[in-house]
Amino acid sequence: MDTVTSLVWGHSALKLVVDVSPDGPVAVRTLTAGGGQHRARQQWARATQPLVEVLVPGEGRGRASHRFSETAIGRRLVYAGSAQTHDGRWRELRIDLRDERTGLTAEAVFRSAEGVSAVQVRTRVTNEGGTPVLLLGVTSFAAGLIGYPVDELDLVRGDSEWLGEGRWTRRPLRDGVPDLNLPLHGQDGRGRLAVVSKGTWSTGVHLPTGGLVHRGDGPAWMWQVEHNGAWRWEVGERRDGAYVSLLGPTDLDHQWQHRLAPGESFTTVPASVAVSDGLDGAVAALTAHRRALVRPHRDRTALPVVFNDYMNTLMGDPTTAKLLPLIDAAADAGAEVFVIDAGWYDNGAHWWDSVGEWQPSQTRFPRGIEEVLTHIRERGMVPGLWLEPEVVGVRSPMADKLPEEAFLSRGGVRLVEHDRYHLDLRHPRAVAHLDEVVDRLVEQLGVGYFKLDYNIDPGAGTDLLADSAGDGLLEHNRAHLAWLDRLLDRHPDVTLENCASGAMRMDYAMLSRLQLQSTSDQQDFLRYPPVAAAAPMSVLPEQSASWAYPQPDMSEEQLAYSMVTGLLGRLYLSGRLDRMDDTQLESVRAGVRAYKELRADLAATVPLWPLGLPGWDDPWLSLALRAGETTYLALWRRGGATTPAKNAAPPTLSLPHLSGRDVDIEVHYPRELPAWSLTWTPESGSLTVTPTGAEPAAARVFRIVPRPAEGPTR
C-alpha cells in the first residue's frame, strides 16, 4: 500500500479527511458525523475521486465519458497548502491546489457550523498562467463513498413540476447504475446518472437536493446545490465505490462557457452535503444546516399567519368591494398578514402582458388602494402585495422606457416568453427601476410583505456582454441575489415570500435570503397533501407555506382536511371566509389557534415520515415534526383524490424515536370532529390509526408527548 498523507478537519459534529498525497489526486477520503463512526469497508491506497474537477477544451477528461469525474486537470491538481479559520459558529477550511501545466489554481472552501454534521463547499479557480483558459465546467464538490458498494446504496431524489412539486423516491442505486464488473476491466466506469436543471426555474423539473443512503450500517449523505439558475448533480460508480459530483451550469448541459484571462478568477455556486446515520438523520442534519444558512429576520421568530386573497378565492380579481369583507373575515379568523395578490395594478381586463410599472389600479380601487391597505392595518394585520419584479409585459410602458441592454437577449433580440420580456439585473437601469418600485410601495403605501412571483423561464440565458448564454444567465442570477440582499438591507422588516408559479424556484440561494416559500399552485385540496408532506425534504418547516383554502361548500371533514394541509409548516390561509357560516368559521379559527399553539416549536422541529416518503397516489400520507419531547403528527386519508383510501387497511405509523416509551396522544386539530381509534405499541414505537366517519377524505393532526419515566419504587 502506498503512503497516504491526509488532512483532517472538522468539529464536534463533523469530521472530514482529505487525502493530499503528492503522488495522487487531492480527494475526500471520508466525510462523517462526529467522530467518524463509519469506516470504509475496504482500505484503498488512497481516495481517487478528485475533489475538484475542471473541464477545459485543451485538456478534456482523462478518460472519454460525459462524467464530471476524472477530468485531466482534476487528476493533475496537486496539494499546495491549506488554512483553517473560524468566525463565531462557523468553521472554515481552505485547500489550495495547483496544476503546473495550465497554471490554473483552485481553492476548495469548506464551511460548517459547529454542532451540525453538514458542510457547504464552493470552488474558486484562478488563471495564474500566461494565456486565457475557457472553462466548460467546474465542480463545487466531488467525492466518493469509498468502500460502500453500489449494491448496498439507495438513491434518494425528487422530481417536480407545476402543481406536482416535490415527488420523492428512494430506490436502489443499481436501478440507474448497472453492474459492469469494473474490477475485471481494471477501469472506472464511464456512465453516470445525471440530474440536470436548465434555465431559471431551478426546481421546475428536478430538485437540487438528493442523497445516497446505505441500507446497512453505513452512512447517509444528503446534498443540495444552492443556486437560483442552472445546475447539475450526478452519481456513478468507480472501482472503490459510488461517487457524487455537484455543479452549477456546464457547457454540456447549459451552454455555459467562461473565459478566464490571466489573473482572473471564477467561483462556483455553493453546494452543501449533510451526513448522518440513515435518511432521517441526514435530513435532520441538512435541516439544521439550512437554519444556519438562512439570513436573520424577525419573521423567523414571529411566524405570522398569512392570508392571501388568491387561491380559490379572488383569483387575481381584487377590488375594494370584494376585499373589505374578506379582510374583516381574515382578521376575525386570526390572520396577521393580509396579501392582495395579482391584479391590484390592473385597470383593464387583460393584465398579463402589460405588467411592469406596478402602479395601483384606479378602476379597482376608486378611492385608492390606500383605503384597502389602511383597513388591513386597522384590523391589526400587515398589508402585503403580490409582485413579479423580474418581468415586463410586451405591452407595458416600461418596455420602451428601459434601454435594450436592460433585458435578456439572444443574438441582439429581446427574449420573449409568454408575452413578457425578462429584465437583466446586471444592468443598472433595470435595478434602479425595481428599487424605485419597492421603495415606493414600502415608503409611500406602507407595504410590509411582498409575494415575489416568477412565472416565466427565459431558457439558456443571454449572450449580451457574456462569454456564452449560460454565462450571462449565471451573472444575472447572481445579480438577482445581490438585489435581494440590498432590498433587505434597506427594508429589514419587510417580509419576502418566494414564489415561482408555486415552487419552481425552491432553492437555498433564494431561501437563504427570503423568509418563506410557497409550495404549490395546486388548487385541488385533495391533491395538495403529498406536496405539503414532502416539502420539508426541500424547505425548512418554518419556511414551508402550504395553502389552506377552506370553502363554504365544503363538509366539516373537507374543511378540516384543507386546514390540516397548512398546519405543519407556515399556515398560508385563503378561501371565502366572508361567505362562511358560524360553524365553518369556528373550524377555521380553531385551525388558526392550533397553528399558533405549535408555531413556537416550528423553527426547532425535525421532519420525519412515519409512512415513508410520500407518494403522489398514496392512499395514506403522514408527516411528523419532532420538537424536543413533543411530536406533531399529521395524517391524511385520501379517499376521493386518486385512490380509494376509505377501504384501505388502517395504517400503522413508525415513530422509532418514541420506541420503548408510553405516550399521551391528543388530537391537536380538529378537536370537534369524531375521534379516531388509536393503538400505541411502545415496544416498536408504532401507532395504528383507525379512522371513524363515513367520508372518504379526512385528516387529523395529533400531538404526542412521552410520559415521564416512573421512578424506582421504595
Side-chain angles (χ1 to χ4, degrees):
M1 181 179 290
D2 297 335
T3 300
V4 179
T5 302
S6 297
L7 174 66
V8 180
W9 172 80
H11 49 70
S12 62
L14 185 78
K15 182 179 180 182
L16 171 71
V17 180
V18 180
D19 287 350
V20 295
S21 306
D23 55 347
V26 176
V28 173
R29 172 169 286 274
T30 58
L31 177 65
T32 55
Q37 64 273 36
H38 302 302
R39 300 186 181 275
R41 300 289 183 77
Q42 184 175 355
Q43 294 301 312
W44 294 75
R46 60 174 60 87
T48 57
Q49 168 55 57
L51 168 63
V52 175
E53 300 281 12
V54 182
L55 188 63
V56 302
E59 300 287 342
R61 295 172 173 84
R63 296 183 63 248
S65 74
H66 283 170
R67 287 182 167 192
F68 275 89
S69 175
E70 297 280 2
T71 59
I73 292 176
R75 281 181 167 186
R76 294 199 308 263
L77 284 168
V78 296
Y79 179 68
S82 63
Q84 301 184 29
T85 58
H86 69 273
D87 180 10
R89 185 183 179 189
W90 288 95
R91 304 291 186 265
E92 184 170 297
L93 168 68
R94 189 193 76 240
I95 300 177
D96 298 324
L97 307 97
R98 180 175 181 82
D99 176 38
E100 295 294 343
R101 183 181 300 179
T102 61
L104 289 177
T105 64
E107 297 175 357
V109 178
F110 297 79
R111 296 176 67 243
S112 182
E114 172 65 44
V116 178
S117 56
V119 62
Q120 184 188 64
V121 195
R122 69 184 80 200
T123 303
R124 182 172 183 262
V125 177
T126 301
N127 182 3
E128 296 187 359
T131 59
V133 174
L134 187 65
L135 300 177
L136 303 179
V138 183
T139 56
S140 300
F141 175 81
L145 273 73
I146 301 176
Y148 291 101
V150 168
D151 294 321
E152 300 175 5
L153 298 174
D154 287 341
L155 176 66
V156 178
R157 58 174 292 182
D159 296 321
S160 202
E161 66 176 284
W162 184 58
L163 309 180
E165 294 84 351
R167 304 187 313 279
W168 285 88
T169 58
R170 175 176 176 171
R171 296 193 177 98
L173 182 55
R174 272 284 176 240
D175 286 357
V177 178
D179 185 354
L180 304 176
N181 194 5
L182 296 178
L184 175 67
H185 299 84
Q187 300 182 55
D188 293 325
R190 296 183 178 180
R192 77 279 180 264
L193 192 160
V195 177
V196 175
S197 179
K198 301 179 180 181
T200 52
W201 277 350
S202 58
T203 56
V205 180
H206 306 293
L207 297 180
T209 306
L212 289 174
V213 182
H214 189 260
R215 290 192 292 275
D217 59 355
W221 282 14
M222 289 291 294
W223 57 78
Q224 61 184 24
V225 182
E226 295 156 4
H227 183 44
N228 55 329
W231 53 263
R232 169 191 177 109
W233 61 256
E234 67 176 61
V235 294
E237 185 173 20
R238 301 170 59 87
R239 283 172 292 164
D240 56 357
Y243 80 91
V244 58
S245 290
L246 311 178
L247 307 91
T250 71
D251 174 64
L252 182 66
D253 304 303
H254 310 108
Q255 302 181 44
W256 180 83
Q257 301 174 12
H258 184 80
R259 187 173 299 277
L260 274 187
E264 291 183 341
S265 298
F266 169 78
T267 302
T268 67
V269 305
S272 293
V273 182
V275 61
S276 186
D277 294 315
L279 177 60
D280 287 345
V283 172
L286 191 54
T287 299
H289 181 68
R290 288 168 176 159
R291 289 191 172 118
L293 292 176
V294 171
R295 177 184 177 121
H297 193 279
R298 69 175 185 176
D299 178 84
R300 297 185 68 188
T301 54
L303 304 179
V305 177
V306 178
F307 185 96
N308 182 298
D309 72 20
Y310 184 81
M311 186 66 77
N312 294 343
T313 306
L314 300 187
M315 298 298 289
D317 188 27
T319 65
T320 300
K322 293 177 181 179
L323 284 167
L324 292 180
L326 197 57
I327 291 166
D328 289 334
D332 291 342
E336 294 153 308
V337 176
F338 189 100
V339 181
I340 305 172
D341 206 276
W344 60 268
Y345 38 78
D346 169 34
N347 284 322
H350 305 287
W351 51 260
W352 178 265
D353 59 358
S354 65
V355 297
E357 285 198 304
W358 310 113
Q359 294 286 347
S361 170
Q362 297 174 342
T363 58
R364 293 179 177 276
F365 312 106
R367 291 178 296 277
I369 198 173
E370 292 85 350
E371 176 187 14
V372 177
L373 299 177
T374 297
H375 192 62
I376 293 171
R377 283 189 290 270
E378 289 175 345
R379 291 307 313 266
M381 298 182 291
V382 174
L385 291 177
W386 178 95
L387 198 64
E388 193 170 355
E390 295 151 84
V391 304
V392 171
V394 295
R395 292 194 301 111
S396 172
M398 291 308 303
D400 296 323
K401 291 180 181 179
L402 293 172
E404 289 295 321
E405 297 79 9
F407 298 92
L408 300 183
S409 63
R410 295 287 295 276
V413 179
R414 283 190 200 181
L415 291 172
V416 176
E417 181 73 10
H418 200 172
D419 298 322
R420 281 145 169 225
Y421 301 121
H422 196 299
L423 291 173
D424 187 338
L425 295 185
R426 298 176 300 166
H427 197 279
R429 288 282 299 279
V431 171
H433 164 59
L434 294 190
D435 286 345
E436 183 278 328
V437 169
V438 172
D439 293 349
R440 167 169 48 84
L441 296 175
V442 173
E443 296 166 5
Q444 296 181 20
L445 297 183
V447 173
Y449 182 110
F450 287 103
K451 176 176 182 173
L452 299 182
D453 209 345
Y454 184 63
N455 289 298
I456 68 169
D457 183 341
T462 178
D463 55 13
L464 179 66
L465 300 176
D467 293 330
S468 61
D471 189 48
L473 185 61
L474 175 59
E475 293 306 310
H476 160 77
N477 295 145
R478 289 173 162 169
H480 179 218
L481 298 178
W483 175 72
L484 290 170
D485 286 335
R486 292 191 301 270
L487 188 164
L488 288 166
D489 288 343
R490 292 197 313 279
H491 305 293
D493 291 333
V494 168
T495 298
L496 302 180
E497 173 193 337
N498 189 33
C499 180
S501 282
M504 301 293 94
R505 195 165 58 181
M506 185 173 57
D507 59 76
Y508 265 85
M510 298 292 289
L511 287 169
S512 63
R513 294 163 169 86
L514 308 191
Q515 285 71 58
L516 66 164
Q517 171 69 55
S518 172
T519 61
S520 184
D521 275 355
Q522 177 57 253
Q523 292 177 241
D524 184 346
F525 77 101
L526 295 173
R527 285 178 169 80
Y528 209 128
V531 175
M537 284 287 286
S538 302
V539 186
L540 288 173
E542 62 268 29
Q543 290 181 296
S544 175
S546 294
W547 292 90
Y549 35 67
Q551 301 297 338
D553 59 353
M554 288 181 173
S555 69
E556 291 182 331
E557 284 286 6
Q558 290 174 335
L559 192 150
Y561 187 104
S562 177
M563 290 296 295
V564 167
T565 297
L567 286 185
L568 292 197
R570 291 297 296 274
L571 180 56
Y572 202 64
L573 191 61
S574 195
R576 295 309 306 241
L577 308 189
D578 54 326
R579 298 179 179 177
M580 289 184 175
D581 61 34
D582 290 342
T583 300
Q584 293 171 323
L585 280 174
E586 180 50 36
S587 182
V588 175
R589 293 189 193 103
V592 173
R593 289 195 297 270
Y595 167 76
K596 291 180 177 179
E597 289 170 8
L598 67 79
R599 69 178 169 186
D601 294 331
L602 196 58
T605 57
V606 174
L608 303 166
W609 289 271
L611 293 176
L613 293 175
W616 188 251
D617 295 324
D618 285 355
W620 297 91
L621 293 170
S622 183
L623 168 65
L625 296 181
R626 179 182 178 184
E629 287 284 275
T630 302
T631 300
Y632 297 98
L633 173 67
L635 179 63
W636 293 265
R637 178 174 68 175
R638 300 184 65 215
T642 55
T643 50
K646 179 183 175 183
N647 299 320
T652 296
L653 298 91
S654 177
L655 298 166
H657 66 287
L658 294 172
S659 62
R661 307 187 69 175
D662 293 323
V663 300
D664 290 318
I665 307 175
E666 66 177 15
V667 177
H668 190 66
Y669 177 83
R671 294 168 181 161
E672 73 280 2
L673 294 181
W676 291 1
S677 175
L678 308 175
T679 302
W680 175 250
T681 306
E683 294 79 11
S684 60
S686 59
L687 176 67
T688 301
V689 181
T690 304
T692 57
E695 290 205 39
R700 299 289 187 271
V701 174
F702 301 98
R703 184 175 182 270
I704 306 174
V705 180
R707 295 174 184 167
E710 295 184 2
T713 57
R714 294 186 179 181

